Each structure stands twice: as structure tokens, then as C-alpha cells.
Amino acid sequence: MNYDAITADYKDAFFAALRSGLKNEKYLLPEGIDPEKLLSLAAHQNLFSFVFMSLMSNKDFENTAVCKKHLPRFLGSFSGQVKKTENFFKLYRSFSENGMYPVVVKGIVLKQLYGEYAECRPSGDEDILVKKAEFFDAVKILQDNGFVSESGDITEKQLEALHHLEFKRNDLKIELHSNLIDCRTRLRRKMNGYFDSAEENGIFTEIKGVKIKTLNHTDHFLFLVFHAFTHFILSGVGIRQMMDILLYYQNYADEIDMKYAKKALEDVNSKYFFSDLIRIGNKYLGFAIEPLCEEKNAEALLEDMLCMGVFGNSTSTHVAAGQMTSAAFYGGNTFLKTIFPTGEWLSRRFPEVIEKPYLIPICWVKRWMMFFKNRKDKGVIGDSMAVGKRRIALLKKYEAL
């Protein structure tokens, strides 16, 4: 969405719908607000089901044409999430039966914070962390359960450079991590250093009768902020990630070592980012959390979040803008690095360049072909340049560049 496409009325209606869901209260659609347009804004943030369920809390909405039109989509999404959750637990049992307890992060753990709206918090994939020594054993268990790696087989050397592999089965997608945050930049390496003992310091919890291992609350909180901050820098971060962070912080404040966490946030320049997320959450979602430091520009951050969408990749305009900010982060000529990214940047999508750097030009061509094949927006280059420049200015305010 464009920066100026979301009016104040729709922004307020959107956040009111989210607030009613978080508080499990009845939602009254404001006068003059088109529910179709409101649902479109929610979908841009991957919160369609959440806002639809809020609308459904008002019985008057059930008989509307908009409800009847979108009800199948809501039911399909809701039941699909329920099925994914069940199938993940079946997979996790396979690990535990083989003496392994991978550390589960985000996804299913965060869903529990949403109460009755748990399955309205979509999770496209589930992230699990294992020790490097157990990585290929975990790969075998995934393969035995019908999962296929999207990158094919990798070598030990490629594993050192990658921080996760993606595995797919028709009903589920798994990201298998050897590191929680990849190490392609100095900032990310610094972030990842905070999780050197994450597996050893993990805790066990029970979700729907299944015993799983997850991060301790201090590590999980830091990971959520670091993960969102890296997305913000490289492509954009959305409202859903902000809700995850603030709900987690609110629920586990007494179990988070904030003295340690504050030092970590300062160390990676994310304290201003986190504090402005708090300000947005307090103002628009009804949280009551004390920010850690002075404000940088919460409203500009909110505009960026609303524009870029849940991961900054909702349109080809936003993808290209994200590539501009990514190139700016790496330094050098922003435009050239957007078109000709480094082998290090390419390695996440094309791990083969780690051992075969001569394939970099071929991978450039593949990226260009994918970009133009998927491009649907007219004037995408000009629009993305404008969005990218605005994002770069915002990143500088947060000392992220």
C-alpha cells in the first residue's frame, strides 16, 4: 500500500478491530467504514482472519454480503491453521521419540498469547532450532516424515554459512535452524552471539498436552525484537510482529531479565525501535508499557509498517524498495547493489554460490526473471525508489544505517 493510501479513519478502525480481538470484546464497525476495504488492509498485514473474527463479534455483520463473501476464506484459513498446529505436534512427537527436542520459536508458542484468537494469528511456517551436531539427524527425521528441502541437499560448508533450511510438505512448512539469526552481516553476527547458549538454556512447556522445548523468556523476547529489527532494516516489519512482541513482553515481564535485555538492545541499536513500538502499541492497541528511552519517530515508523506490510514483500514495489534498503545497509552504491547483490546476500536463496561463486551472475539473472515474472504493479521502479528513499531516511533516524 502507498504511504498516503490509508486514511486516518481506516487506520483507527483497523486498530479498533485489533483491540477488540486482543481484549475479546464486541467490535462495532464505525460509520462510513467499508468492511471490504478494512479487510483488505488487514490482509496486507496478514491479519485478515483476526479482523474478520472481530467483525463477527457483532451479530449484525453475519447477515451482510461482505460476511457471506469472505466467510469461506475465513473458515479455510482458520481450519488450515488448526490443521497445521495438529500436524506440527505430530512432527514434534517424531523428534521426541528419537530423543530430540528441537527448540521451537515464534509461531505456535506465540499463538497461545492470543487466547480465543490463537488460530487467527497466522503462521506460514514453524521455526525450530537444533544443535549443529544434530542438524543432519533432524534433516533425516523431517525427510522420514515426508518433508522436502527447498534448497536440495547441502554440504557441511554450506551449513556453516546458512542459518536455516526450509522444508515443505503439502500441509506444513518448517524452517530448520542451526543459528537463530544468520551471520551475513556484522550486526547479525552480534545479534546471533546472544543466542550461543539458547539451546542449552531452553525451557520446556506444554501446549495442548504436548511437551515442547522453547527459548527461555529473556532469550525469546530478545529474539523477537532482534528478528523484527532485522526485517525492519532489510524489507519492513508489520503490525503482527509488533503485537507478538508486546504481548510476549506484557505476559512474561516478570520472567525477563530486563537489565540484561536493555544492555543487549542498546548493543545492537534496537532500543529506540522497541521503544517506539511500545508507543504505537500503547496509543493504538491499548497496551500500558513504559518505553525504555526517548522517542525517535513513532508515527513515521507506524506509517512504514502500514505501507510495507507484514514482511515488506506484499507487492513488487515493496520488494524492490526493501532491496534498496538492504543494499544501503551493506554500503556502497545502493542502486547497483539492488540490481547486483553480493554473493553473501544471494546465498540465502541460492546456497550453491557459497562453494561456487562463479554462479553469482547466473543467480542475478534468475532474480531479475523472478522479479519481472511476478511484477504486477505499473511504475514499480519509480514507486520503489520513492519508498526506498523514505525508508533509508527512517532507518538513519533509528541508527540502523
Side-chain angles (χ1 to χ4, degrees):
M1 290 189 173
N2 296 328
Y3 277 92
D4 56 356
I6 305 167
T7 64
D9 288 347
Y10 276 91
K11 182 169 72 173
D12 290 343
F14 172 60
F15 281 113
L18 296 180
R19 274 198 312 274
S20 72
L22 291 174
K23 296 180 179 180
N24 200 22
E25 296 174 349
K26 183 178 179 181
Y27 176 62
L28 296 175
L29 185 70
E31 232 179 279
I33 297 297
D34 178 1
E36 190 84 57
K37 188 173 178 180
L38 181 63
L39 288 169
S40 177
L41 171 57
H44 182 60
Q45 296 291 333
N46 206 9
L47 287 167
F48 168 86
S49 294
F50 199 100
V51 171
F52 189 89
M53 192 162 171
S54 286
L55 288 166
M56 287 282 287
S57 69
N58 187 338
K59 296 295 182 183
D60 294 338
F61 178 69
E62 293 183 9
N63 297 319
T64 65
V66 173
C67 179
K68 293 174 182 175
K69 174 185 175 182
H70 291 289
L71 183 60
R73 176 182 176 182
F74 168 75
L75 294 175
S77 175
F78 191 93
S79 62
Q81 287 296 323
V82 171
K83 185 177 179 182
K84 283 182 180 180
T85 300
E86 291 174 351
N87 288 332
F88 177 77
F89 286 141
K90 289 179 183 176
L91 173 65
Y92 201 85
R93 288 191 188 97
S94 293
F95 279 105
S96 61
E97 287 166 3
N98 282 275
M100 291 181 67
Y101 285 90
V103 175
V104 182
V105 296
K106 300 188 300 173
I108 280 176
V109 177
L110 297 179
K111 280 177 182 288
Q112 313 315 307
L113 301 173
Y114 289 83
E116 292 185 16
Y117 280 67
E119 300 303 343
C120 292
R121 190 274 184 200
S123 182
D125 54 52
E126 296 299 333
D127 297 76
I128 57 176
L129 169 72
V130 298
K131 297 175 182 178
K132 284 188 177 180
E134 296 178 335
F135 192 87
F136 290 104
D137 291 334
V139 168
K140 186 176 187 311
I141 292 172
L142 285 165
Q143 291 173 337
D144 289 345
N145 279 272
F147 288 86
V148 177
S149 168
E150 294 192 323
S151 302
D153 294 332
I154 66 163
T155 65
E156 293 277 357
K157 185 176 180 179
Q158 289 172 356
L159 177 60
E160 288 299 315
L162 296 173
H163 88 298
H164 78 272
L165 272 185
E166 295 181 355
F167 288 83
K168 263 189 175 180
R169 198 174 65 187
N170 289 337
D171 54 359
L172 194 59
K173 183 176 178 181
I174 299 292
E175 286 193 1
L176 177 64
H177 292 254
S178 57
N179 295 303
L180 281 177
I181 296 174
D182 71 52
C183 299
R184 288 180 294 162
T185 68
R186 185 173 63 181
L187 176 63
R188 291 187 176 202
R189 286 191 289 273
K190 183 183 284 190
M191 288 179 174
N192 204 46
Y194 281 94
F195 307 108
D196 286 342
S197 302
E199 202 278 338
E200 291 86 344
N201 295 334
I203 58 175
F204 284 92
T205 187
E206 190 172 293
I207 301 176
K208 296 186 177 180
V210 180
K211 178 185 175 184
I212 66 168
K213 191 175 185 181
T214 186
L215 297 171
N216 69 55
H217 295 306
T218 300
D219 283 349
H220 216 150
F221 163 70
L222 282 177
F223 173 67
L224 293 176
V225 179
F226 289 178
H227 181 72
F229 191 54
T230 57
H231 270 290
F232 168 62
I233 292 172
L234 298 181
S235 55
V237 68
I239 303 302
R240 196 196 75 192
Q241 291 102 312
M242 178 183 72
M243 289 167 60
D244 288 345
I245 292 169
L246 298 185
L247 281 171
Y248 197 92
Y249 184 71
Q250 177 181 265
N251 276 265
Y252 298 112
D254 293 341
E255 299 170 71
I256 295 171
D257 182 348
M258 278 312 297
K259 184 177 180 181
Y260 171 81
K262 284 178 183 177
K263 288 182 68 175
L265 294 173
E266 288 175 1
D267 188 38
V268 301
N269 289 348
S270 58
K271 66 174 182 178
Y272 294 111
F273 171 74
F274 173 59
S275 290
D276 276 1
L277 289 183
I278 290 175
R279 290 184 174 89
I280 295 167
N282 288 349
K283 181 176 179 179
Y284 293 99
L285 291 172
F287 286 93
I289 302 171
E290 185 67 30
L292 304 185
C293 55
E294 68 273 18
E295 181 176 353
K296 280 293 180 180
N297 198 334
E299 289 298 325
L301 175 59
L302 175 58
E303 282 188 4
D304 188 71
M305 293 166 71
L306 289 171
C307 169
M308 298 303 288
V310 67
F311 291 118
N313 60 5
S314 54
T315 70
S316 48
T317 295
H318 298 133
V319 170
Q323 289 170 353
M324 278 187 64
T325 51
S326 174
F329 179 78
Y330 280 94
N333 187 300
T334 301
F335 184 72
L336 285 178
K337 284 202 172 183
T338 301
I339 301 173
F340 304 106
T342 64
E344 187 178 45
W345 194 95
L346 286 167
S347 64
R348 183 171 181 179
R349 183 178 287 271
F350 306 104
E352 60 270 25
V353 303
I354 295 168
E355 294 180 303
K356 302 174 182 178
Y358 57 84
L359 294 177
I360 288 175
I362 296 172
C363 294
W364 285 339
V365 174
K366 287 181 180 179
R367 283 183 71 251
W368 301 337
M369 290 174 67
M370 286 188 289
F371 175 77
F372 287 109
K373 180 181 177 181
N374 296 324
R375 182 169 66 85
K376 297 179 181 179
D377 306 320
K378 294 180 179 179
V380 63
I381 299 299
D383 291 346
S384 62
M385 290 288 285
V387 174
K389 286 179 181 178
R390 194 183 302 222
R391 294 206 76 243
I392 288 170
L394 182 62
L395 291 175
K396 288 179 178 177
K397 288 182 180 178
Y398 285 98
E399 302 177 11
L401 289 180

